[in-house]
Amino acid sequence: MSFSVTDREMMSEALKLAAQGRFTTSPNPTVGCVIVADGKVVGQGFTRPAGGNHAEIEALQSAGDVTGATAYVSLEPCSHQGRTGPCVDALITAGIARVVIACEDPNPQVAGSGIKKLQDAGIQVDSGLLEDQARDINKGFIKRQEEGTPWVLVKMAASLDGRTAMASGQSQWITTPPARQDVQRLRAASCAIITGIGTQLMDDPSLTVRISSEELGVQDSLQQPLRVVVDSKLQMSATARMFEQPGATLIATLEGESQREKSQALIEAGAEVIFLPAMAEHIDLQALLVALAARGCNQVMVEAGAGLAGAFIAEGLLDELVCYWAPKLFGNDARPMFNLPIRTIDAHLALSVKDMRMIGEDIRVTLYPDKDY
């Protein structure tokens, strides 16, 4: 399919609109829509939080008469009844003549049926425009639909010599306030934050989003991500700071009758406890991710010590690594970033740098594992 310059410009605008919902639409995908009539933009919108309007409805409501117009949508319009009605029906009823789609929706409830319904109604459908960018915006949703697990982002803050804490465990603060504020953006974009019991016992973190919608430049209210503590022996105290924070806390532990007895105090404190199988003497992290996907988690962020962070990497579960490097040296007795059983150079894990930039005085590097990881 050959797309015009106007097509590309309008889809770029739709993708910018889609980015408006990246902090607020989960478990739904974030979608942008631009409607053009007689060469002019007459309507636009993006998906609102779950239960609210989808992008196409927002755009139609702002457009007025759109008979014969073209709609540019960053993801295939839905064709099923959820909390809201099918967007394809609204587009058909409105008299849209052409729909340009960036990428198809992998949700089995849609998966091409939206395109077919539009075509059956006599609407011209062209798809694949800026598809890679569209998939990147919804990488968590797409992975959950295609693979049954959320996108896994591991975040680490380290000194220039790759140390995350002193031997005593002291780690506050490695990075500067601008970098720590940037981490709040990552949290806000995550459906769940995963940490380990070691970090919880050492730091007693809140694991909350401490940034506002206004600071993020978005219109809708933010939700607190699910806090997940991997605690195979149920060592967590019922007086942990997490239980005083808004939002939910989930404790993942191993199966066993004694564990169920020990879990009662945590449940009474407000936690939900799930029991998972073991793998190599620790919690099966793949099973944890499957359980989080079943709850509608599109993207999770791991904020943990070297053991748990290293386990996600060693087990092939990493999708994205974000490192904040502080221009400091902590020395060889300080704690490493990851516990990884790599013995030879040939066994290294290759990563590709996707982005590198200064955040205050620190350097943020975003990396993806190579495809054969």
Side-chain angles (χ1 to χ4, degrees):
M1 174 64 201
S2 178
F3 294 100
S4 69
V5 172
T6 298
D7 288 338
R8 294 181 182 279
E9 290 177 349
M10 293 301 101
M11 186 59 77
S12 293
E13 290 302 313
L15 290 169
K16 290 177 184 176
L17 287 165
Q20 276 281 317
R22 65 193 183 278
F23 302 107
T24 57
T25 62
S26 185
N28 293 332
T30 178
V31 182
C33 178
V34 174
I35 299 176
V36 176
D38 298 323
K40 296 181 180 179
V41 174
V42 295
Q44 58 185 17
F46 60 90
T47 299
R48 311 315 284 256
N53 286 339
H54 289 190
E56 298 91 328
I57 306 304
E58 289 277 304
L60 288 170
Q61 288 181 351
S62 68
D65 183 11
V66 294
T67 303
T70 296
Y72 296 87
V73 191
S74 62
L75 188 71
E76 177 183 2
C78 65
S79 55
H80 64 289
Q81 177 70 47
R83 294 194 199 179
T84 59
C87 290
V88 290
D89 291 354
L91 292 169
I92 293 167
T93 301
I96 293 288
R98 179 185 180 221
V99 177
V100 182
I101 297 168
C103 71
E104 294 185 17
D105 188 340
N107 183 346
Q109 293 180 297
V110 185
S113 63
I115 291 175
K116 185 178 185 303
K117 194 167 185 179
L118 291 170
Q119 291 173 330
D120 289 347
I123 295 174
Q124 178 184 343
V125 179
D126 301 314
S127 62
L129 177 58
L130 304 184
E131 181 175 4
D132 289 345
Q133 294 92 319
R135 288 182 65 89
D136 185 65
I137 287 176
N138 276 309
K139 58 193 176 187
F141 173 80
I142 289 173
K143 188 188 176 196
R144 179 167 69 87
Q145 296 297 333
E146 292 181 345
E147 301 181 29
T149 54
W151 183 269
V152 177
L153 183 154
V154 175
K155 184 277 295 182
M156 298 298 290
S159 62
L160 199 59
D161 51 348
R163 304 293 171 167
T164 60
M166 306 310 294
S168 64
Q170 180 187 5
S171 62
Q172 295 181 342
W173 294 101
I174 297 173
T175 54
T176 54
R180 298 199 295 274
Q181 183 74 348
D182 194 64
V183 171
Q184 294 299 316
R185 298 179 66 88
L186 296 181
R187 286 186 178 182
S190 301
C191 304
I193 302 171
I194 302 175
T195 195
I197 186 60
T199 298
Q200 193 281 317
L201 292 175
M202 176 67 69
D203 298 335
D204 193 19
S206 297
L207 294 187
T208 53
V209 170
R210 296 186 290 277
I211 192 170
S212 67
S213 299
E214 291 75 16
E215 290 172 296
L216 291 170
V218 299
Q219 297 180 23
D220 296 311
S221 299
L222 302 178
Q223 303 253 339
Q224 288 294 334
L226 176 69
R227 297 179 290 271
V228 181
V229 181
V230 178
D231 182 6
S232 60
K233 298 179 181 179
L234 281 186
Q235 298 173 273
M236 189 170 175
S237 169
T239 61
R241 188 184 303 170
M242 286 185 199
F243 299 130
E244 302 171 358
Q245 310 305 317
T249 299
L250 177 72
I251 314 298
T253 192
L254 292 173
E255 295 173 338
E257 189 59 37
S258 62
Q259 298 291 85
R260 294 185 180 276
E261 294 176 3
K262 291 166 64 176
S263 70
Q264 290 306 307
L266 294 171
I267 293 171
E268 291 172 5
E272 180 182 355
V273 180
I274 60 170
F275 301 88
L276 298 171
M279 189 183 77
E281 299 182 355
H282 65 257
I283 288 172
D284 185 336
L285 298 178
Q286 173 74 14
L288 172 60
L289 293 177
V290 170
L292 293 176
R295 294 165 178 263
C297 289
N298 291 329
Q299 175 168 310
V300 301
M301 181 164 75
V302 179
E303 289 196 66
L308 183 59
F312 271 98
I313 296 172
E315 294 175 23
L317 303 175
L318 174 72
D319 292 303
E320 181 177 357
L321 175 62
V322 178
C323 294
Y324 294 85
W325 299 94
K328 303 170 182 177
L329 298 175
F330 283 3
N332 59 287
D333 289 335
R335 299 184 180 186
M337 295 176 70
F338 308 109
N339 292 339
L340 281 173
I342 298 175
R343 301 285 181 258
T344 66
I345 289 179
D346 290 343
H348 72 279
L349 170 61
L351 301 165
S352 297
V353 176
K354 297 299 180 182
D355 182 77
M356 182 183 297
R357 66 186 66 196
M358 296 293 296
I359 306 291
E361 298 177 4
D362 306 307
I363 301 171
R364 187 189 72 194
V365 184
T366 302
L367 309 103
Y368 286 4
D370 282 359
K371 292 181 179 180
D372 58 355
Y373 165 54

